[in-house]
Amino acid sequence: MKKMLITGGAGFIGSNFVHYTLRERPEYKITVVDKLTYAGNIENLRSAMDEITFIQGDICDRQLMDKLVGEHDIVVHFAAESHNDNSLRNPWPFIETNLVGTASLLEAVRKHDKRFHHISTDEVYGDLPLDRPDLKFTENTPYHPSSPYSSTKAGSDLLVHAWVRSFGIKATLSNCSNNYGPYQHIEKFIPRQITNILSGMKPKLYGNGLQVRDWIYVDDHNSAVHAILDKGQVGELYLIGANGEKTNKFILETILELMGKPKDFYEHVTDRAGHDQRYAIDNEKIVKELGWQPKFEDIRKGLEETISWYKENATLWEAEKQAVEAKYKENGQ
């Protein structure tokens, strides 16, 4: 069995990756390391604890990362501070985790000559104009981040590229569009709207809601990561997207419809500072070179499954709902 170390494996995408790997790729023996900040929840892994090794730790801890990386064959790096609004309130955790933490992993990977895959975001490219639907991000799009979050993710990507070129580490990278699905923290757009409705509150829409996001169901992201681990070329970057461009307004109104509410049952709130207008990914490279295809291209079906999960797992989010909404209220959102 190959030994896989997954950083940030108690977070949203990371925990889904753990469950996906256990289900679809039993040849991997998994260790998860997670700091268990507010966005990392051990309950996300509860059903898998008998099948994995879990270590509570910080990727900025160089001694711990050196030890863990040395004991494994492959490192899949999900750990990151990832919420734009939080990065605008306090950038420092993003600088520490996304930059310093990634550097500590890269040095351990370099020392022990291990395979490394770095998970990143399309937000490193900034945004696209709403009136140019022909334009999409590609692997050659220049970086133009617009928030402390996306800037630190861009910096972490550049560190990986530098370690590949300067030190010859065996690394690949992927920049993915907006994920949605089970286990996502309720501060994020889709679960916030779903849990507001389930809690008897009106959902909230930033500004006019015409910002466009390229949505992908989380298991499609995770299958793409495995395609890169299996067939990706060392040193290469792959963009992961499922052709799921929708406005925030469309997503919210679809959620309301699926949950039996009027389409106008929401409140407009103050727009986010520097809010990116449109993301869209050209996935041609990963489709043509690695043969990957998304399975959840019907966003209504994906949203139905997501809504069902939050209904059935209220115990995982109810206790923190009030605090999350209070934080938004402080900022008029």
Side-chain angles (χ1 to χ4, degrees):
M1 296 181 74
K2 292 182 180 178
K3 295 180 179 179
M4 176 183 286
L5 176 65
I6 301 173
T7 73
F12 162 45
I13 306 177
S15 62
N16 277 284
F17 185 78
V18 171
H19 293 297
Y20 181 92
T21 304
L22 290 172
R23 184 173 67 248
E24 304 291 338
R25 304 297 297 270
E27 68 270 26
Y28 288 106
K29 181 176 176 58
I30 294 173
T31 297
V32 170
V33 59
D34 197 294
K35 189 177 179 180
L36 295 182
T37 61
Y38 77 97
N41 189 345
I42 194 64
E43 293 301 320
N44 292 350
L45 298 172
R46 186 64 63 195
S47 64
M49 291 302 280
D50 291 340
E51 301 174 81
I52 67 173
T53 299
F54 178 81
I55 296 167
Q56 184 173 355
D58 187 344
I59 60 170
C60 294
D61 183 339
R62 287 183 287 174
Q63 185 175 357
L64 177 61
M65 292 307 104
D66 181 78
K67 176 179 182 295
L68 291 177
V69 169
E71 295 171 346
H72 293 80
D73 303 304
I74 297 171
V75 180
V76 184
H77 178 32
F78 287 93
E81 291 284 346
S82 64
H83 190 40
N84 266 308
D85 290 332
N86 289 346
S87 80
L88 294 167
R89 286 190 284 265
N90 182 12
W92 284 108
F94 294 78
I95 293 167
E96 291 162 0
T97 298
N98 299 351
L99 293 173
V100 177
T102 298
S104 74
L105 285 165
L106 289 171
E107 281 293 84
V109 166
R110 173 190 174 193
K111 175 180 175 180
H112 297 287
D113 192 27
K114 303 294 183 176
R115 175 76 168 87
F116 183 77
H117 182 71
H118 178 66
I119 307 292
S120 192
T121 171
D122 59 354
E123 296 188 38
V124 299
Y125 301 115
D127 59 355
L128 297 165
L130 291 173
D131 60 353
R132 288 292 307 276
D134 56 309
L135 294 179
K136 293 191 174 187
F137 298 137
T138 73
E139 286 79 3
N140 296 316
T141 301
Y143 280 19
H144 190 60
S146 58
S147 71
Y149 160 57
S150 55
S151 296
T152 54
K153 286 302 291 184
S156 69
D157 293 5
L158 295 175
L159 289 174
V160 178
H161 284 296
W163 260 246
V164 169
R165 179 167 178 170
S166 298
F167 307 120
I169 68 167
K170 299 183 296 244
T172 46
L173 306 89
S174 57
N175 289 12
C176 190
S177 58
N178 285 57
N179 282 234
Y180 72 100
Y183 300 106
Q184 191 169 25
H185 194 279
I186 58 171
E187 69 185 3
K188 297 289 189 170
F189 179 68
I190 286 178
R192 185 187 182 201
Q193 314 313 325
I194 294 170
T195 57
N196 271 13
I197 296 168
L198 293 175
S199 302
M201 295 183 282
K202 280 190 174 183
K204 308 294 192 292
L205 187 66
Y206 283 142
N208 60 17
L210 298 182
Q211 306 88 356
V212 174
R213 298 294 178 261
D214 192 349
W215 295 98
I216 184 170
Y217 193 71
V218 65
D219 272 354
D220 278 337
H221 181 183
N222 291 329
S223 70
V225 171
H226 274 290
I228 296 167
L229 291 174
D230 291 342
K231 296 177 282 188
Q233 295 297 308
V234 167
E236 290 294 311
L237 164 67
Y238 299 89
L239 264 61
I240 303 172
N243 303 310
E245 285 185 70
K246 301 293 181 186
T247 66
N248 288 344
K249 186 173 185 287
F250 173 89
I251 293 294
L252 176 52
E253 291 181 350
T254 302
I255 291 170
L256 285 164
E257 179 189 346
L258 292 172
M259 297 183 74
K261 297 291 185 182
K263 281 191 174 183
D264 61 355
F265 184 73
Y266 61 86
E267 298 174 4
H268 288 276
V269 295
T270 305
D271 206 354
R272 173 190 291 156
H275 202 167
D276 287 344
Q277 291 302 296
R278 174 174 170 258
Y279 305 146
I281 275 184
D282 183 342
N283 64 9
E284 181 178 2
K285 180 176 178 178
I286 192 170
V287 168
K288 286 192 172 181
E289 294 187 11
L290 306 187
W292 173 80
Q293 288 287 344
K295 293 183 179 179
F296 288 86
E297 291 187 280
D298 181 354
I299 199 161
R300 287 180 64 91
K301 183 175 184 298
L303 287 172
E304 284 176 350
E305 295 203 11
T306 304
I307 290 165
S308 294
W309 188 89
Y310 282 94
K311 284 181 177 178
E312 294 165 7
N313 293 275
T315 55
L316 295 182
W317 57 264
E318 281 180 331
E320 61 183 336
K321 181 63 180 174
Q322 188 174 352
V324 168
E325 289 305 311
K327 187 183 293 185
Y328 273 115
K329 190 174 181 179
E330 288 176 8
N331 293 279
Q333 299 169 333

